[in-house]
Amino acid sequence: MASIPTSRNGRALVLMFILLMAPGTARTETIQVTGENPQFSMEFRDADIKDVLRALGQTANLNIIISDTVTGHVTMSLKNVDLWAALESILKTKGLTYVRDANMIRVVSLAEARDIDMETRVFPLGNASSKDILPIIEKIKSEKAKVFIDNRTNAVVVKDLSLNIDQMARLLKDLDIKMPQVLIEAKIIEVSTNYAKDLGIQWGGRYAGTSGNGSTVITGGTTGVSSSGVAGSSTIPAVGTTTLFPLLGDVGISGNAYAVNLPAAVGSGAGGALGISFGRLGGNALDLQLSAMQTTGNGRILSNPRVITANNHEAKISSGIEIPLQVLTTTTQGTSLQVQTINANLSLSATPTIGKDNRITLAIKLEKSEPDFSQQVNNIPTINTENADTELVVNDGETVVLGGIITKNESKSESAVPFLSKIPLIGWLFKRDTTSNTEDELMIFITPKIMRD
């Protein structure tokens, strides 16, 4: 063997080997080592595997013992590879493995390896979970190997051949890393717009006339009783010994019942009414009252749930109320009253996956449910639900609109006196119009941010 030249900086050396393959012939092979973390470049042509292993051992300062059963020749050309990667490639090609004995490496064939040659090593994990790592180790261990997990110390215990264990060690070094975390911020904006208009009319009066055929009286619908008194909260003047009560439930300023009674839904703080009485002439009177109500409203509900989760782990956050219900249950033992609950929640679940380019893939499921006390069944409110379920790709810190749900309700109703309400120009004296419009829009904004150390 030639001498070993070493560079001045100690970071590169070249070994030249003269391998005598047969009398009168020779092969010149080269191993070049560079870098602080040695990378090997090797060139062998039809070289005896024992000579190749000895050359690797001398280059890397390894104590190698080669079994007599190891035979064969190797032809290989490797550029800038790790020593252990090169050694494992050579051994696997020839059906070989190695066993660690103290500070020595013993190269044997797989058939020659025994249970006592197996090494036991404990891999404590600092970031990964031993339960998550176990399936990966199971796939790369040898058939006779045994693998256990220690939940108390979050460690993996492996009994296997040294070559396989060294492979596991390098793999676990790459897997047992701190997982990046993602802050997911959602803004849920619900905009509600409503408009309602109600226009009604009330009119009536009294007309009394005398002719040769007797007296004629025209008034709103009334009914009579045999004594004077008060109808509801309105005092009605008596005619003789008979008191008139309005058949349609209301009276005008003059005290006469309305002939058309279709008022708008007005009251304190809602709409208004205008009443007019057209005097008295010979006991005659005409009452007219217009009522109108119009409401316009705009509402905005903002929810801002925020949650932090590790990469590839689902996060879920929810808030809301539980509505208790009394349920009567009948069994063979009798009847009992039980309390059950209905959930009305705003919940957000998200699973982020961070790519190499810091783009985040989000699997999002959002559900919003709320009770509607305006619609009840047996005093139990109905539940209005809105859902969004999607998967999207977002840049770090970028805000995207997940979706918009628009609900629009329009209604128009008319209460009228048949036929008379259809008369042009004066038909409005015989009807009531009600119009309402409601529009709800739900907008969802999602902003994921990678949490830096």
Side-chain angles (χ1 to χ4, degrees):
M1 189 186 336
S3 61
I4 304 176
T6 305
S7 63
R8 291 184 179 179
N9 58 16
R11 297 183 58 186
L13 56 87
V14 177
L15 301 183
M16 303 297 294
F17 295 93
I18 307 298
L19 304 180
L20 300 179
M21 307 304 299
T25 63
R27 296 287 188 270
T28 301
E29 314 296 342
T30 302
I31 300 178
Q32 184 177 359
V33 188
T34 60
E36 295 179 356
N37 296 319
Q39 297 291 309
F40 291 76
S41 296
M42 293 173 255
E43 184 74 27
F44 292 100
R45 295 187 298 277
D46 195 25
D48 187 279
I49 188 170
K50 291 183 179 180
D51 294 328
V52 172
L53 294 176
R54 284 196 296 267
L56 287 175
Q58 293 180 10
T59 305
N61 294 322
L62 295 177
N63 298 320
I64 295 182
I65 301 175
I66 304 172
S67 173
D68 293 337
T69 59
V70 176
T71 59
H73 291 78
V74 176
T75 299
M76 58 189 299
S77 178
L78 301 177
K79 301 294 183 182
N80 297 326
V81 297
D82 179 75
L83 168 67
W84 294 105
L87 180 59
E88 290 170 5
S89 298
I90 295 172
L91 297 181
K92 288 182 178 180
T93 301
K94 295 299 181 179
L96 305 173
T97 186
Y98 62 78
V99 178
R100 290 183 183 272
D101 288 332
N103 62 342
M104 297 178 294
I105 291 178
R106 181 160 47 91
V107 178
V108 298
S109 65
L110 289 173
E112 187 182 355
R114 299 164 297 173
D115 289 344
I116 60 174
D117 294 325
M118 289 188 176
E119 176 186 351
T120 300
R121 195 181 302 182
V122 178
F123 295 101
L125 303 175
N127 298 286
S129 170
S130 58
K131 293 182 179 179
D132 296 334
I133 294 297
L134 180 61
I136 301 174
I137 299 298
E138 290 282 356
K139 293 181 180 180
I140 62 175
K141 70 179 183 65
S142 63
E143 294 182 0
K144 296 181 180 181
K146 296 181 180 179
V147 181
F148 311 92
I149 61 172
D150 183 6
N151 292 324
R152 183 178 59 87
T153 59
N154 191 35
V156 179
V157 183
V158 182
K159 182 179 181 181
D160 202 347
L161 295 172
S162 300
L163 185 148
N164 294 334
I165 288 182
D166 288 343
Q167 286 182 327
M168 296 175 189
R170 291 194 296 273
L171 178 62
L172 291 178
K173 183 179 180 181
D174 294 333
L175 295 179
D176 188 25
I177 59 176
K178 185 177 180 180
M179 298 294 291
Q181 298 186 101
V182 180
L183 169 65
I184 302 173
E185 182 177 4
K187 289 186 178 181
I188 304 170
I189 302 175
E190 185 174 5
V191 180
S192 177
T193 303
N194 62 77
Y195 169 79
K197 182 181 71 174
D198 194 354
L199 180 62
I201 188 168
Q202 297 168 291
W203 62 270
R206 175 184 174 87
Y207 168 78
T210 304
S211 63
N213 297 326
S215 299
T216 300
V217 178
I218 300 175
T219 186
T222 58
T223 182
V225 294
S226 58
S227 61
S228 61
V230 178
S233 61
S234 302
T235 302
I236 302 176
V239 179
T241 58
T242 301
T243 301
L244 302 179
F245 292 89
L247 182 65
L248 298 181
D250 209 347
V251 296
I253 300 176
S254 64
N256 295 291
Y258 285 128
V260 175
N261 190 24
L262 298 172
V266 298
S268 178
L274 176 64
I276 303 174
S277 178
F278 292 91
R280 293 173 176 269
L281 182 61
N284 302 322
L286 175 63
D287 295 323
L288 176 66
Q289 181 166 289
L290 299 175
S291 55
M293 183 274 294
Q294 178 173 315
T295 60
T296 302
N298 293 289
R300 181 179 179 181
I301 301 175
L302 175 63
S303 301
N304 189 201
R306 306 172 72 187
V307 63
I308 298 178
T309 183
N311 187 31
N312 289 320
H313 284 72
E314 182 184 21
K316 186 173 183 180
I317 186 172
S318 64
S319 64
I321 61 173
E322 292 185 350
I323 304 173
L325 303 175
Q326 290 185 340
V327 179
L328 189 64
T329 305
T330 302
T331 61
T332 56
Q333 299 178 351
T335 302
S336 61
L337 190 63
Q338 298 180 351
V339 177
Q340 297 181 0
T341 58
I342 298 177
N343 294 323
N345 297 329
L346 170 65
S347 63
L348 170 67
S349 63
T351 304
T353 302
I354 303 175
K356 293 183 179 180
D357 55 355
N358 283 336
R359 290 172 63 85
I360 304 171
T361 301
L362 281 176
I364 295 178
K365 183 176 182 181
L366 186 141
E367 180 175 349
K368 179 177 179 292
S369 58
E370 58 182 357
D372 185 359
F373 291 96
S374 64
Q375 301 183 31
Q376 301 185 17
V377 178
N378 296 330
N379 295 324
I380 300 175
T382 60
I383 303 296
N384 297 329
T385 61
E386 295 172 334
N387 298 280
D389 192 349
T390 186
E391 184 171 332
L392 47 88
V393 179
V394 191
N395 290 324
D396 180 20
E398 184 180 50
T399 300
V400 296
V401 181
L402 182 61
I405 302 175
I406 300 176
T407 304
K408 188 174 184 178
N409 295 318
E410 297 182 357
S411 65
K412 185 174 183 179
S413 63
E414 181 180 280
S415 301
V417 177
F419 306 114
L420 298 179
S421 62
K422 304 299 181 182
I423 300 175
L425 300 180
I426 64 171
W428 63 274
L429 292 172
F430 300 92
K431 63 182 179 181
R432 171 189 174 186
D433 289 328
T434 302
T435 302
S436 65
N437 295 318
T438 302
E439 182 174 324
D440 297 319
E441 183 175 4
L442 179 66
M443 294 175 289
I444 305 167
F445 300 87
I446 300 292
T447 306
K449 298 179 182 178
I450 301 175
M451 304 293 290
R452 308 293 182 185
D453 288 341

